[in-house]
Amino acid sequence: MPEQPVDVGPGGENVAGEAPAAEPEAVTDDAILHDDDVELERTIGLIGGLAIGIGTMIGAGIFVFPGLAAANAGLAATLSFAIGGLIALLVALPTSELATAMPRSGGGYYFISRSMGTAYGAIVGLGLWLGLMFASAFYLVGLGHYASAVFAELNIALPADPVIGIGLLFGAVLTALSIGGTENTAKLQNMVVGVLLAVLTVFLSYGVLDAVGVFGGGTVPEQFFSRGYFPVLTTAALVFTSYLGFAQVATVAGEIKQPGRNLPLAMVGSVLIVTVFYVVTIFVATSSFGAERLGEFGETAMVEVARDFLGLPGAVAILGAGLLATFSSANASILSASRAVYALSRDALLPRKASKVNLRYGTPHVALLAAGGPILVLVGTGRVELLAEVASFLHLIMYGLMCVALIVLRRRNPDWYSPSYRVPAYPVVPAVGALASFGLIAFMQPASIGIGIVVMLTSYLWYRYYAGDVTLKGDL
């Protein structure tokens, strides 16, 4: 990809007298070059991008949601996951176009601020940062629960509950690894996701063969819409939190090699791969126990399915896979949260110091600490489930606005907008993606919607106080 100059720059100052950083002098396949000699290296390839998307999406969802989804919608929960995957794909396609036109760190925040203006960008950017912190803490606490369950399964008695301690330990380790370079975390993510997919592929392949009668007597499918039709939609809203990972690839777009090729492949590919895994997982799980019994197992349903197939070794293997899944989700979320801080800081919506890049490792170490520090505090509380739902609300708002941003840019057609990938069936795909994203919010819990609105309002008030005079490229 040739160097991509940027011809329009941001302006204004925040209350600290800091102006937004100049747009990069050039954007190449290898790095983003700034006029202050700061270089944010591109070290994440296609496999690394897929690993970030898959690793985040296939995390807690595939191990936590099957029992809960089956209790709500029965066998039709397979359709709920398919609906969630379709909506994610409708958003991933417009996001891919935006990301190839603006391959910068910050993802949805950057796209929206440059197309719709600073106020929209501040609400989305600050909300994304907070949402990713809460999601990261949720994954780390989940990792602690899985580790505790492994000890219990092996009859290893511990003097104290290890959940919070394990979550804090891995949160600190992952933050330190990210400071040491995204190449390190990308390699780690690739390895974890590779092992996780291998374990799940073997387990689900056995489950499918058992369900169709190769290993056992087979199963008689129960009535598909046994709980009715409406629960399919409410369950789709519940499980959509499992599809948040593809947009995290766009959040680290500034560090993706050959973004014109790898960004669309990573985002769309990760959605398609994970959707297949989710649908097959629900089919296997309901074939093993039936929806009603599966729902009784709740969050540990997949452990019981594995125990039914393979005994204790199967249960331990799935617990281990759950550890890997929550680990990979936390790793990807911490990395993405720090890049959101980096982008906000360079635009003077947060103090400039947060965008300082470590000259030794080429990573925004202050932004990583700004994300990792609060995450550890949240892990210490151990009570982040509701706030994880708020993270889903904030992501849905961002997804809908990204689809709107694409339509805005296509209509304005500014000189600097030259994506190497264009979404098919425009404007139908982005319009339907926006409507579907906003529509899912209607099926969320009222408390989550209320807290999400408070976060958005707080973000807007911060913008008005701290950076009300700052104007970004989208303010035309």
Side-chain angles (χ1 to χ4, degrees), residues 76 87 95 120 135 148 158 348 370 389 395 410 421 435 443 445 449:
I87 294 174
T95 304
Y120 286 100
S148 178
L158 297 174
E389 290 186 13
H395 276 81
R410 284 283 194 103
Y421 166 85
L435 292 174
F443 297 97
Q445 296 294 323
I449 296 174

Side-chain angles (χ1 to χ4, degrees), residues 20 64 72 96 102 110 166 282 366 397 430 434 455 469:
V64 174
N72 290 340
S96 297
M102 297 173 278
Y110 191 92
I166 292 174
I282 289 293
V366 177
I397 292 293
V455 170
D469 293 331

